Amino acid sequence: MRSSRHVSTADHAPHPPTPAVSSRGLTVVLACAQDDWPHDDWPTSDDPHVSQVLYSPAPYRFLRDRARNGDNEAVDVVVLPCENPTVAFSGLLNAMGDMNASVIVLSPERDPDVIVDVFRGGAGYMVEGDYCTCMLSAAVVGATVGHTYLSPMACAALRECAQRMAAPRDDALERLRSLLSPREREVMELLSTGLGAQEIGVRLGLSEKTVRNNLSNIYAKLDARGSTDAVLRWLGARQGDSLGSAAR
């Protein structure tokens, strides 16, 4: 992806914004230098969802300036490719401040503690070599409606840590899960693997609207603030627990 039609380097002489592909086109910030972005084939210049791509390498001055100016609606999703998420993710969140944009971390790091810490920070996590650009595109679009996507390896890490925490309180976990109907349990099983409402609907033969209605009911029954909190509760990690500490 080297098209200059809709790409600018945010921290280095940005070009004028390109008109959106559609009224719902997304602005995505890639938190790296342009030469360090690992996917030349994403997004393409005719991407149906992404209308503008900006590059903002560390220390993420562009994002920091936007946050300071209260310009929280200008960026939809931030994608962070990094070797060390523990350092890079923390630095990115600090730069973003109160910015409302969703974050997706791309990294070769497979340490369950690191993956879970990023997930608890509200970001999606995709392990390099464990996803394709189609999955990345779905993750970016899903992030704008509150879905926290994980690649299969990241899902496995989350389950491993949560199961260690859940072991001493299986009875309490079963009581929590018993609050859900059989259909809601099916939805939660798929949600916990990183699927969004559309993909869950395809798997279960339901409309996306029906899945979203199920999710709203689930969040209420589990007293969850959203998909991330619901998944943690479903897997046995109660609010306030530290998954990373439990996994060590």
Side-chain angles (χ1 to χ4, degrees), residues 90-143:
S90 177
L92 178 66
L93 291 183
N94 183 58
M96 291 176 64
D98 295 330
M99 184 175 289
N100 295 327
S102 300
V103 178
I104 300 171
V105 173
L106 312 179
S107 178
E109 179 59 69
R110 303 184 182 188
D111 185 335
D113 295 350
V114 173
I115 294 172
V116 170
D117 284 344
V118 169
F119 182 74
R120 286 193 69 93
Y125 196 106
M126 307 185 83
V127 179
E128 287 188 11
D130 191 39
Y131 68 93
C132 62
T133 52
C134 289
M135 292 172 63
L136 175 57
S137 182
V140 167
V141 175

Side-chain angles (χ1 to χ4, degrees), residues 100-220:
N100 295 327
S102 300
V103 178
I104 300 171
V105 173
L106 312 179
S107 178
E109 179 59 69
R110 303 184 182 188
D111 185 335
D113 295 350
V114 173
I115 294 172
V116 170
D117 284 344
V118 169
F119 182 74
R120 286 193 69 93
Y125 196 106
M126 307 185 83
V127 179
E128 287 188 11
D130 191 39
Y131 68 93
C132 62
T133 52
C134 289
M135 292 172 63
L136 175 57
S137 182
V140 167
V141 175
T144 64
V145 291
H147 296 308
T148 306
Y149 274 63
L150 302 172
S151 71
M153 286 183 183
C155 284
L158 178 65
R159 284 180 173 274
E160 175 188 338
C161 292
Q163 286 168 359
R164 293 184 187 184
M165 290 190 64
R169 54 174 186 269
D170 286 339
D171 289 344
L173 179 58
E174 280 307 310
R175 286 196 297 272
L176 180 73
R177 292 184 172 186
S178 70
L179 298 174
L180 307 185
S181 69
R183 174 63 79 191
E184 289 168 347
R185 289 188 176 208
E186 290 179 324
V187 170
M188 274 308 304
E189 279 293 335
L190 293 175
L191 184 70
S192 68
T193 67
L195 297 181
Q198 184 177 15
E199 294 89 347
I200 292 173
V202 171
R203 296 285 186 92
L204 298 180
L206 303 173
S207 70
E208 184 175 352
K209 181 178 179 181
T210 298
V211 174
R212 293 191 185 282
N213 288 338
N214 274 288
L215 288 172
S216 294
N217 292 335
I218 289 168
Y219 298 159

Side-chain angles (χ1 to χ4, degrees), residues 26-30 42 50 52-54 75-79 140:
L26 303 177
T27 293
V28 176
V29 171
L30 305 179
W42 189 90
V50 179
Q52 186 179 40
V53 174
L54 304 170
V75 174
D76 296 295
V77 182
V78 179
V79 182
V140 167

Side-chain angles (χ1 to χ4, degrees), residues 44-63:
T44 58
S45 59
D46 59 350
D47 188 284
H49 305 294
V50 179
S51 63
Q52 186 179 40
V53 174
L54 304 170
Y55 289 87
S56 182
Y60 319 115
R61 291 191 298 274
F62 167 73
L63 292 170

